[in-house]
Amino acid sequence: MSSIAPQLFDPSVFLSLAFLFGIASQFKAMDGEPFLRRIVTAAETRVGILYAIVVVTSVFSPLILNDVVVIILTPVIIRYAKQFRVDVAPLLVAEITFTNIASSLTPLENPQNIL
């Protein structure tokens, strides 16, 4: 029974999650959300909101963890959808899909996305 206990609790998972949320909190504390919102809005006026999200996630995901990109960008997308009364579902699907695709393009990120 004692051999099962270490499998149920893995401290590295909790440390990884704490690290991810720490990065997201630091980004928010540095007013990163308005910066990201400006990038999305600027791209949206040129190519549309869906393509803007694809571009932003494709650019930032290989540079930082894709989980952090999702944690940071999701509130921006939800605020945009509420403000302009657009359906949020396709925007979130595009965010998650292209974040994972872009993350799999670099060996420094999450190699499991390649699978």
Side-chain angles (χ1 to χ4, degrees), residues 45-67:
T45 58
R46 291 179 177 83
V47 296
I49 186 61
L50 191 61
Y51 290 117
I53 291 170
V54 168
V55 168
V56 168
T57 56
S58 297
V59 168
F60 284 103
S61 189
L63 303 175
I64 60 176
L65 292 170
N66 61 344
D67 304 332

Side-chain angles (χ1 to χ4, degrees), residues 18-73:
F19 180 68
L20 291 175
F21 284 110
I23 292 172
S25 297
Q26 183 63 32
F27 186 81
K28 192 171 185 173
M30 295 170 37
D31 287 332
E33 273 189 38
F35 167 73
L36 200 53
R37 196 175 314 123
R38 284 192 305 271
I39 291 174
V40 169
T41 304
E44 183 266 336
T45 58
R46 291 179 177 83
V47 296
I49 186 61
L50 191 61
Y51 290 117
I53 291 170
V54 168
V55 168
V56 168
T57 56
S58 297
V59 168
F60 284 103
S61 189
L63 303 175
I64 60 176
L65 292 170
N66 61 344
D67 304 332
V68 175
V69 172
V70 170
I71 290 170
I72 293 168
L73 189 58

